[in-house]
């Protein structure tokens, strides 16, 4: 049950165990010579499904294609919806929550920052994966991503209320250098995607 109102992105899943190759067309005939790193997110323009594989076209990467499974048929790329989400949340986890560089549970992406128990933070964006896993973009000074649920399904981030007009101004930065700029509110213009620097 993917939410509406956001943009669709391809996410390299932890099961990939590393970077995922890109292709020139929706098939495994010609590799692009580029890869998408583990945990990264890239906006999707269209998809093509054939022979049990789904390929997604990525306009930010010169219209390269990425496949949702590897050569063994294992799922390595999943879908996610990114949407503006301007609210105040409170950390419910007694031991605190690691703020991550990208929205993934892979341990190596743990950032230096950590939310403390009952700490309130401004949120500017939400990502919901097809699996139901949901992540929130924390605004500075503790900038990064946190999950709304613990691995066992326990709620660890609780919505307290909407941000006021003075909170979290400007466009939130992208998960991993892709430069996607979100509008100040869902009512504004659609998300704009810039080329990778």
């Amino acid at each position: 049950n993917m939410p509406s109102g956001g943009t669709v992105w391809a996410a390299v899943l932890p099961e990939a165990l590393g970077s995922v190759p890109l292709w020139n067309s929706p098939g495994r005939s010609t590799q692009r010579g580029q890869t998408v790193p583990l945990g990264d997110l890239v906006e999707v323009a269209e998809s093509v499904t054939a022979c049990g594989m789904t390929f997604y076209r990525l306009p930010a990467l010169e219209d390269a294609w990425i496949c949702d499974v590897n050569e063994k048929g294992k799922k390595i790329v999943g879908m996610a919806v990114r949407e503006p989400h301007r609210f105040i949340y409170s950390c419910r986890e007694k031991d605190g929550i690691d703020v991550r560089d990208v929205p993934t549970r892979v341990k190596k992406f743990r950032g230096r920052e950590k939310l403390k128990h009952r700490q309130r933070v401004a949120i500017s964006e939400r990502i919901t994966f097809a699996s139901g896993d949901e992540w929130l973009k924390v605004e500075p000074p503790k900038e990064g991503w946190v999950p709304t649920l613990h691995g066992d399904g326990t709620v660890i981030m609780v919505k307290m209320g909407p941000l006021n007009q003075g909170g979290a101004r400007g466009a939130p930065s992208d998960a991993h250098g892709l430069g996607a700029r979100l509008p100040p509110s869902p009512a504004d213009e659609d998300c704009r995607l810039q080329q990778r620097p």
Side-chain angles (χ1 to χ4, degrees), residues 71-188:
E71 293 81 357
K72 297 180 179 180
K74 185 177 183 180
K75 185 83 168 179
I76 56 173
V77 173
M79 288 295 93
V81 168
R82 298 179 68 164
E83 55 189 337
H85 188 71
R86 295 186 167 279
F87 289 89
I88 298 293
Y89 275 75
S90 176
C91 173
R92 181 178 283 184
E93 177 65 31
K94 291 184 178 181
D95 295 330
I97 303 173
D98 290 313
V99 180
R100 296 173 179 268
D101 297 329
V102 294
T104 176
R105 298 183 188 273
V106 177
K107 291 183 179 180
K108 75 174 184 177
F109 288 110
R110 286 180 179 173
R112 298 179 181 179
E113 299 289 349
K114 189 169 186 174
L115 300 186
K116 297 179 181 179
H117 184 221
R118 295 184 178 178
Q119 181 175 356
R120 294 190 178 193
V121 290
I123 301 300
S124 61
E125 183 180 0
R126 176 173 61 188
I127 292 182
T128 305
F129 289 86
S131 63
D133 204 13
E134 187 177 84
W135 291 73
L136 304 172
K137 178 64 182 297
V138 180
E139 287 293 278
K142 293 185 179 293
E143 187 173 9
W145 296 90
V146 294
T148 59
L149 301 176
H150 200 280
D152 61 5
T154 305
V155 175
I156 56 177
M157 290 294 291
V158 180
K159 185 191 296 184
M160 305 302 293
L163 277 175
N164 58 34
Q165 292 298 319
R169 288 185 180 274
S173 59
D174 187 74
H176 203 204
L178 293 172
R181 296 182 177 276
L182 289 177
S185 72
D188 290 329

